């Protein structure tokens, strides 16, 4: 649950993973509120959404189809529909 994330338990850089369910990322109110709260706590926040594979796509779908290498590639090389560095301040 995103509202229960304790910023003190996280490193200075945070990656939030969003599902690619056909909705606009900025319309995910809980995700955007969590990102904002983490930035207010001094965290560098990135939001990653995997590319559309077949139908709704989440990182579990990437894992099933591409393995752990697909997960690493998606995050490390920004192979995603959205990779945002939020500037909310």
């Amino acid at each position: 649950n995103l509202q229960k994330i304790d910023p003190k338990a996280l490193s200075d850089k945070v990656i939030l993973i969003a599902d690619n369910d056909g909705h606009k990322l900025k319309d995910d109110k809980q995700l955007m509120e969590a990102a904002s709260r983490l930035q207010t706590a001094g965290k560098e926040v990135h939001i990653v959404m995997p590319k559309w594979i077949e139908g709704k796509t989440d990182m579990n779908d990437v894992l099933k189809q591409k393995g752990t290498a697909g997960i690493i590639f998606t995050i490390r090389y920004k192979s995603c529909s959205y990779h945002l560095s939020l500037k909310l301040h």
Side-chain angles (χ1 to χ4, degrees):
N1 190 321
L2 293 173
Q3 290 77 19
K4 295 182 181 181
I5 295 174
D6 179 5
K8 294 178 211 161
L10 303 174
S11 68
D12 290 338
K13 295 181 182 180
V14 178
I15 299 173
L16 300 175
I17 308 292
D19 289 345
N20 190 345
D21 57 7
H23 296 85
K24 292 182 180 178
L25 186 61
K26 63 183 175 182
D27 291 339
D28 188 332
K29 187 177 176 181
Q30 288 184 349
L31 184 67
M32 292 295 115
E33 286 175 359
S36 178
R37 187 170 57 82
L38 291 170
Q39 279 198 320
T40 299
K43 306 299 180 184
E44 179 183 325
V45 180
H46 301 270
I47 301 175
V48 174
M49 181 185 288
K51 287 185 178 178
W52 196 268
I53 296 175
E54 290 178 20
K56 297 178 181 181
T57 305
D58 60 21
M59 285 300 220
N60 190 49
D61 297 318
V62 174
L63 179 63
K64 288 179 185 176
Q65 294 189 21
K66 308 283 184 180
T68 54
I71 298 288
I72 293 167
F73 186 87
T74 297
I75 294 170
R76 184 174 290 160
Y77 299 105
K78 303 175 186 172
S79 174
C80 53
S81 296
Y82 298 94
H83 190 278
L84 307 175
S85 296
L86 303 175
K87 302 289 183 198
L88 301 175
H89 300 338

